[in-house]
Amino acid sequence: DNHILPAFGARQLTSLTMEDIQAWKVQLSERLAPITVQTILVRFKALLSTAVKWHYLRANPATEVKTPRVPQTQVVFLEPDQIRLLLDAAPSPQWRAFYLMALTGGLRMGENVAAQWKHLDWDSGCYTVSATYVYILKEYRGLRPPKTPDSMGSVQLSPICLEALKTHQAHQAQEKLKNPHYQDQDFIFARDDGQIWDPRHIHKYVW
């Protein structure tokens, strides 16, 4: 790990104290976002819990170290005029469909990039949310079910969204024929090589 090993890689497990880990958490908090520090600390606590289970430690020194509180972000809703501007600015049929899937279907970013054609029922106009993109400490970790049960299930897509998806599907089919290296993984929204999009790339360049 890029943060755990530099801090404690040379230390004996039995020499670690709660104070050591607390000081390390403070150092991390000075240069990393709270959610990142929380993820690192949770992972480290889990590693130490395993060490206790395997009898390398008598107790977990990180148990009483509190994870940082992650501030709640305020949700900002787009006005109709802003939505029209966003759709008009879509750089391709893929992104127009991507925007509409998020806006009219209510899918989160990770659920949107994980969307697959097999979960779209054209007859009913419903999409079944079954997976979300997962990355931990800047590394893609695959797909897994959404965090909350409420996120799973079918969502009704609007007619304009379904129309955009059909246009995008036709365009995607043409791109597959052009690219002999395309690896079809059934993603509705895919890169030129068929691979899944990284949400951070979308946030930076597209969204």
Side-chain angles (χ1 to χ4, degrees), residues 120-165:
L120 175 59
D121 185 336
W122 290 106
D123 293 332
S124 66
C126 291
Y127 178 77
T128 301
V129 180
S130 61
T132 188
Y133 180 107
V134 176
Y135 60 91
I136 300 174
L137 298 179
K138 302 182 180 180
E139 293 183 13
Y140 174 50
R141 300 294 184 180
L143 304 180
R144 67 176 61 169
K147 291 182 178 179
T148 61
D150 291 341
S151 296
M152 300 185 69
S154 295
V155 294
Q156 183 70 50
L157 301 178
S158 68
I160 189 174
C161 179
L162 291 168
E163 181 182 351
L165 284 167

Side-chain angles (χ1 to χ4, degrees), residues 38 73 75 159 183 188:
Q38 184 184 80
T73 55
V75 178
Q183 298 179 10
I188 295 179

Side-chain angles (χ1 to χ4, degrees), residues 30-52:
E30 292 174 351
R31 53 191 175 86
L32 299 174
I35 185 63
T36 303
V37 177
Q38 184 184 80
T39 301
I40 296 169
L41 194 56
V42 167
R43 176 181 288 185
F44 191 44
K45 285 184 176 183
L47 290 172
L48 293 176
S49 292
T50 300
V52 173

Side-chain angles (χ1 to χ4, degrees), residues 85-107:
L85 287 173
L86 177 65
L87 296 177
D88 290 342
S92 70
Q94 174 173 209
W95 296 115
R96 178 179 173 81
F98 185 93
Y99 297 156
L100 283 166
M101 190 100 157
L103 293 168
T104 69
L107 274 69

